[in-house]
Amino acid sequence: MTCPCGAGAEGSAMEYDVVVVGGGTAGLSAATMLGRSRRRVVVVDAGRPRNTPADQLHGFPSRDGAAPAELLATARDEVLGYGGEVLTDRVDVLEPGAGRGFAVRLIGGEVLTARSVLVATGLRDELPGIAGVREQWGGSVLHCPYCHGYEVRDAPLAVLGGENRPFTLHQAQLVRQWSSDVVFFPDRITLTADEHERLAARGVRVVEGEVTRVVAGDDGVSGVELAGGRVVSRSAVFVGPVFVPRDELLTGLGCQLGENGWVSTDPTGRTSVEGVWAAGNVVESPAQLVNAAAAGSTAAVAINHHLLAEDVEQALADHRASGEMFSRT
């Protein structure tokens, strides 16, 4: 697939209409729609989905309770069924072609050329540096009650304070919706009097002190340990990660950032760089699977319209160059 004459060189044909970077729900949804639109599309995926630690996915119609890997495998088969391609690799550099299109350089050494690009690389969760959190992440250490709250309903739950302060405080109030027994551990967060009162009014118990460990065994979490050795019995723990977008390819192209520091897009996922779209968690941290799938589909339609406009202009230029006269029948 390497272009020996210079990827994206003026006058050379692009290998693909679209390269989709990231084979999660957003990327595969987009690739399926583009394949159905008879576009030449390839998905480049490193094979490290964010929800790998989770046993089940929820909130996705017709797939509730399925394993995340099952959803992705089905989606990949659908892409292939519509003539798309899926490559297991990682994009090293994404850059404008020489005159038009884009060169997509892979870690494996290949260089793909494309007329447009969709980046759907997601985000990474920076977890609190507390023993046991990462080990139980996706099992009985959770972050999204909409995804996993129902499965731990009415259980004794904990919420740990973290670097993402607004998210953590909101989470402490929100998790109470799934259980009447919720303990909030501020850890290194200093609560205001108003915040204390709001939590108390909601029925959330606050336990002060430094959290040193999430205690767990073969059956998952059993408690939260504080400095000094006190253990508060709990069955599941919610934490608020710091969400870091995997947007290096987008920022490397010069895509503009919004006030929140994330890459800005319009409602279709179009970035400030012509021909480049982004969808899913790479530009929207709260997006769940169903939202990511919708964003991928929306972006795909917009990309197809973008390519269609180019096709029409090229057809018109070719027609005029041929010297053929327009005739009306």
Side-chain angles (χ1 to χ4, degrees):
M1 293 183 184
T2 303
C3 178
C5 60
E10 187 67 40
S12 64
M14 302 290 104
E15 289 177 281
Y16 296 99
D17 291 315
V18 188
V19 169
V20 176
V21 186
T25 310
L28 293 172
S29 173
T32 298
M33 183 63 73
L34 289 163
R36 286 180 54 82
S37 302
R38 309 195 71 181
R39 292 297 183 183
R40 295 166 297 156
V41 59
V42 61
V43 178
V44 181
D45 181 44
R48 296 194 299 270
R50 179 189 178 200
N51 59 3
T52 295
D55 292 329
Q56 296 181 335
L57 63 88
H58 297 283
F60 199 110
S62 81
R63 292 294 181 270
D64 191 76
E70 177 186 329
L71 176 69
L72 294 181
T74 300
R76 283 193 293 270
D77 288 343
E78 290 171 349
V79 171
L80 297 174
Y82 288 114
E85 299 177 39
V86 179
L87 299 180
T88 302
D89 208 323
R90 185 164 64 86
V91 175
D92 184 32
V93 178
L94 174 59
E95 58 192 7
R100 63 191 184 94
F102 298 90
V104 184
R105 304 182 183 275
L106 309 185
I107 291 293
E110 291 181 297
V111 180
L112 313 179
T113 59
R115 295 170 62 188
S116 59
V117 176
L118 170 65
V119 176
T121 43
L123 59 78
R124 70 175 185 272
D125 299 292
E126 290 191 352
L127 302 174
I130 297 171
V133 168
R134 183 165 295 280
E135 293 80 357
Q136 294 297 318
W137 179 241
S140 45
V141 172
L142 311 161
H143 97 271
C144 175
Y146 294 107
C147 299
H148 305 291
Y150 190 82
E151 284 61 48
V152 295
R153 64 193 183 280
D154 300 325
L157 306 178
V159 177
L160 302 187
E163 295 296 325
N164 193 343
R165 191 180 195 278
F167 183 93
T168 296
L169 291 173
H170 171 70
Q171 193 178 48
Q173 294 284 9
L174 179 62
V175 168
R176 172 65 179 81
Q177 195 165 323
W178 280 265
S179 175
S180 60
D181 185 0
V182 177
V183 174
F184 180 53
F185 297 85
D187 195 25
R188 294 172 178 82
I189 291 177
T190 301
L191 296 175
T192 66
D194 178 68
E195 288 166 344
H196 264 293
E197 184 180 16
R198 288 178 178 275
L199 289 165
R202 181 73 167 149
V204 176
R205 185 157 56 100
V206 176
V207 174
E208 301 281 1
E210 180 185 353
V211 175
T212 57
R213 182 166 65 110
V214 171
V215 183
D218 293 339
D219 296 328
V221 167
S222 60
V224 174
E225 183 178 298
L226 300 170
R230 178 190 174 192
V231 176
V232 180
S233 178
R234 299 285 93 184
S235 296
V237 174
F238 284 85
V239 301
V242 175
F243 304 120
V244 181
R246 299 182 184 274
D247 61 2
E248 295 83 1
L249 296 176
L250 294 167
T251 56
L253 278 173
C255 295
Q256 291 181 359
L257 305 181
E259 293 181 358
N260 61 358
W262 290 52
V263 170
S264 296
T265 65
D266 74 2
T268 72
R270 185 195 296 264
T271 72
S272 62
V273 175
E274 184 73 10
V276 178
W277 272 257
N281 286 141
V282 69
V283 289
E284 186 184 2
S285 65
Q288 296 178 313
L289 290 176
V290 68
N291 306 111
S297 179
T298 299
V301 171
I303 292 170
N304 187 57
H305 290 173
H306 166 77
L307 296 175
L308 174 62
E310 291 186 347
D311 293 341
V312 171
E313 291 304 313
Q314 185 63 55
L316 180 61
D318 292 345
H319 176 78
R320 288 172 175 171
S322 71
E324 293 181 13
M325 299 296 294
F326 174 74
S327 61
R328 185 174 296 175
T329 60

